Amino acid sequence: MFMGEYNHTIDTKGRLIIPAKFREALGDSFVVTKGLDGCLFVYDNMEWSTFEDKLKTLPLTNKEARKFVRFFLAGAASVEVDKQGRILIPFVLREFAGLDKEVVLAGVGRRIEIWNKVRWEETLEYDDMEEIAEHMSEFGQMI
């Protein structure tokens, strides 16, 4: 399970240092893809395989399902960690997430999210967390 928040910088070539705690769980290669809310999702290979299997169950005849699958799979890239603990994030993914200099890597359970730091800070507005928590009860007991 991934958890924690790490601030890093991405260099002009698109290389990003992956925190050691995350590297231990991810291994030497893993998958980065477009994520929801304007960030990137990072999956270890086992979790990515599970996610792909779920995508395969979506009906090909449903336009929204095709769009959903396309969003995640067409943007996905397998990346490898170099000797300095860095990965190269493809340009199309950096552009999608607005990654230019300062980024945040956030562990959120089964995946890691990579955020533009400004966007990340905008998501940290928790003024409505009590209201959100009430709605979470629709998905089962949370707390």
Side-chain angles (χ1 to χ4, degrees):
M1 181 163 144
F2 297 104
M3 58 185 174
E5 177 182 328
Y6 301 87
N7 292 285
H8 282 277
T9 56
I10 192 166
D11 70 16
T12 56
K13 294 180 181 178
R15 296 175 299 194
L16 173 66
I17 294 174
I18 301 299
K21 286 199 181 238
F22 288 166
R23 282 196 316 265
E24 290 172 16
L26 289 168
D28 293 333
S29 69
F30 46 89
V31 176
V32 180
T33 191
K34 292 177 182 175
L36 303 174
D37 302 317
C39 71
L40 300 180
F41 286 173
V42 177
Y43 294 96
D44 67 34
N45 290 323
M46 185 182 298
E47 191 64 38
W48 177 253
S49 181
T50 300
F51 184 59
E52 276 184 316
D53 289 344
K54 289 177 183 177
L55 292 175
K56 289 176 191 175
T57 67
L58 296 174
L60 184 61
T61 55
N62 182 291
K63 186 175 183 175
E64 287 182 343
R66 290 191 309 272
K67 193 172 186 178
F68 190 77
V69 170
R70 199 176 297 127
F71 176 80
F72 287 108
L73 294 182
S78 182
V79 298
E80 293 185 8
V81 180
D82 69 13
K83 290 178 178 151
Q84 286 79 37
R86 303 173 301 187
I87 61 167
L88 176 63
I89 300 176
F91 177 76
V92 67
L93 293 177
R94 292 193 317 265
E95 187 175 52
F96 169 81
L99 304 180
D100 49 15
K101 185 75 173 156
E102 294 184 18
V103 300
V104 175
L105 293 94
V108 290
R110 290 187 263 179
R111 71 176 184 278
I112 297 164
E113 296 178 348
I114 302 175
W115 287 85
N116 167 296
K117 186 170 180 157
V118 172
R119 278 189 194 165
W120 172 253
E121 290 171 352
E122 290 169 358
T123 69
L124 298 179
E125 296 172 7
Y126 294 122
D127 298 341
D128 56 351
M129 193 50 62
E130 285 80 15
E131 184 179 337
I132 291 171
E134 287 178 24
H135 294 290
M136 291 295 106
S137 65
E138 298 169 13
F139 302 109
Q141 187 161 346
M142 296 298 296
I143 301 176

